[in-house]
Amino acid sequence: MKVDTVKELTGVEKKQLKIFLAVNFGLTVFMGVIMWISYHNGNDVAAFAATQMMYPAMGVILAIILTAGKEKKLPVRFFVTYLVTAVLAILLTVGNVLISSATWYLVENVVFVIGSILSWIMLLTEKKEVRDGCNLRFNAHNMKKSFLLILLFFVLYLIRLFLAGLLDGNIKEFAGLFTAPAIWVGMVMLVINFYITFIIFFGEEYGWRYFLQPILQKRFGLKGGVLLLGVIWGLWHLPLSICYYSPDTWFYSLLIQVVGCVSFAVFFGYAYGKTGNIWVPVAIHFINNNMSALLAGGDLGNQVYSWQDTLIVLIVQVVVYVPFLFTKVYKGQVEDTQ
């Protein structure tokens, strides 16, 4: 169903938005304080990153459940499985703060794997119309387009790396990354890993793309809404920038997050708009984060950034992703996906 690009939100949408913001950003602030305490106590805070990715979908799911009418059929089993997995992840993350041990992090990863597998089962056994009602459909008729968009993102990811290496003077280092057998093995394993860890990336995309993007576009237009979403999404990373990604240069890290999230929001939104399939941005979000971790040797924490790094990211991200803002997806009317 098409709606006007700029309109007032309905009463239900306003209520859902309040619940989403309260849960998502409330948990981000609360857990951010705990992360700050843990970091200053000398603990490893890597677990907070994956856990935080669960908050946006928690907000959406609770908003849907609390505002759904009696006639609305919900994928209750899937929603409950997701919420239980998220709560367990939060408890395990806090537990690691109280009693620091690598075992907590290992158990949390096991929880994500089990939660992902159970979530697939719960989702696949739901009736098609129930999945469709909350935009959890797989869109079989768009599978070819969905695959091509995922492939396009992978190609753009490589172009992004090349351009960054060119500007930073590290072309040889860039080429060397792909001569290492471990990198290629890791990329093949990503296909398997997606199915057993998807729940983390679904957490962000169901919140940002499925829920908040159409609401912001409804109020601020197709282009304005997606750009504002990118800024909000980037600032949401503030606790991670301060305590995990780059404690010594957190301000540059935050700028990089905002620049990255604005440009990613453009492409992720483009992919979502082209297919109406939430699993496409989930997949490309997975590729982006896991490729970055793979090329960084598995550790994205304690990076040191400079203004030159920030400028390079700005140039590369704008060149690679921002042109998609001028495609047909961002012209005319916004698709009402909720």
Side-chain angles (χ1 to χ4, degrees):
M1 172 177 141
K2 297 283 187 178
V3 298
D4 292 337
T5 303
V6 179
K7 287 183 68 175
E8 289 293 327
L9 301 180
T10 65
V12 172
E13 287 172 332
K14 289 179 181 178
K15 186 175 181 179
Q16 288 181 335
L17 182 59
K18 289 177 182 177
I19 295 171
F20 170 79
L21 294 175
V23 173
N24 184 13
F25 287 92
L27 281 172
T28 300
V29 172
F30 174 73
M31 292 294 285
V33 172
I34 295 178
M35 178 166 50
W36 186 84
I37 294 171
S38 183
Y39 170 74
H40 284 278
N41 285 339
N43 297 331
D44 184 356
V45 296
F48 282 87
T51 303
Q52 183 168 323
M53 293 176 73
M54 304 286 285
Y55 306 159
M58 289 181 72
V60 177
I61 290 171
L62 289 171
I64 292 174
I65 292 174
L66 294 174
T67 60
K70 292 182 179 180
E71 72 286 350
K72 178 78 170 179
K73 294 182 179 180
L74 302 176
V76 176
R77 290 174 296 161
F78 173 76
F79 280 173
V80 170
T81 302
Y82 182 90
L83 290 174
V84 169
T85 304
V87 170
L88 286 175
I90 291 171
L91 293 176
L92 288 167
T93 303
V94 173
N96 192 33
V97 175
L98 300 176
I99 306 174
S100 182
S101 171
T103 304
W104 293 94
Y105 190 53
L106 176 62
V107 173
E108 183 182 28
N109 285 322
V110 172
V111 166
F112 285 139
V113 170
I114 295 175
S116 293
I117 294 172
L118 288 177
S119 292
W120 281 125
I121 294 172
M122 299 304 173
L123 189 58
L124 291 170
T125 53
E126 290 285 3
K127 293 181 179 179
K128 182 179 180 296
E129 58 268 23
V130 175
R131 293 198 304 265
D132 288 356
C134 292
N135 207 19
L136 295 169
R137 57 185 178 269
F138 298 103
N139 282 24
H141 60 285
N142 269 339
M143 288 302 291
K144 181 178 179 181
K145 184 184 292 185
S146 298
F147 174 77
L148 290 175
L149 282 166
I150 293 169
L151 180 61
L152 173 61
F153 179 78
F154 181 74
V155 172
L156 291 175
Y157 185 94
L158 298 182
I159 293 173
R160 193 175 100 212
L161 284 181
F162 174 77
L163 291 176
L166 188 66
L167 292 174
D168 201 31
N170 287 325
I171 290 296
K172 289 184 178 180
E173 182 178 334
F174 163 77
L177 290 174
F178 298 96
T179 59
I183 298 296
W184 290 102
V185 172
M187 285 192 287
V188 172
M189 290 300 296
L190 288 183
V191 178
I192 299 173
N193 290 340
F194 172 75
Y195 292 101
I196 61 175
T197 60
F198 87 93
I199 200 169
I200 306 170
F201 305 91
F202 173 85
E204 284 206 49
E205 291 310 308
Y206 202 58
W208 302 127
R209 236 60 56 192
Y210 164 68
F211 179 75
L212 192 57
Q213 177 178 305
I215 281 183
L216 292 180
Q217 288 182 319
K218 188 174 182 180
R219 287 293 293 118
F220 301 102
L222 291 171
K223 292 187 176 75
V226 81
L227 294 175
L228 179 58
L229 170 63
V231 173
I232 294 171
W233 183 19
L235 294 176
W236 176 80
H237 288 84
L238 176 61
L240 294 172
S241 289
I242 293 175
C243 300
Y244 176 54
Y245 293 140
S246 183
D248 294 331
T249 54
W250 66 265
F251 182 72
Y252 288 125
S253 174
L254 183 63
L255 286 179
I256 288 172
Q257 286 294 334
V258 172
V259 168
C261 286
V262 168
S263 55
F264 284 142
V266 171
F267 185 82
F268 286 23
Y270 167 80
Y272 185 40
K274 289 287 286 184
T275 62
N277 186 348
I278 192 61
W279 300 104
V280 174
V282 171
I284 59 181
H285 196 150
F286 170 85
I287 291 170
N288 180 74
N289 286 32
N290 281 274
M291 281 294 293
S292 297
L294 182 64
L295 298 177
D299 186 11
L300 296 175
N302 297 307
Q303 304 292 319
V304 176
Y305 299 108
S306 65
W307 68 266
Q308 292 97 330
D309 297 319
T310 308
L311 182 60
I312 288 173
V313 170
L314 175 63
I315 293 172
V316 171
Q317 295 284 134
V318 167
V319 168
V320 174
Y321 298 118
V322 171
F324 288 93
L325 188 64
F326 304 98
T327 60
K328 290 183 179 179
V329 168
Y330 293 108
K331 294 178 181 178
Q333 298 174 314
V334 60
E335 186 78 20
D336 186 5
T337 58
Q338 296 186 47

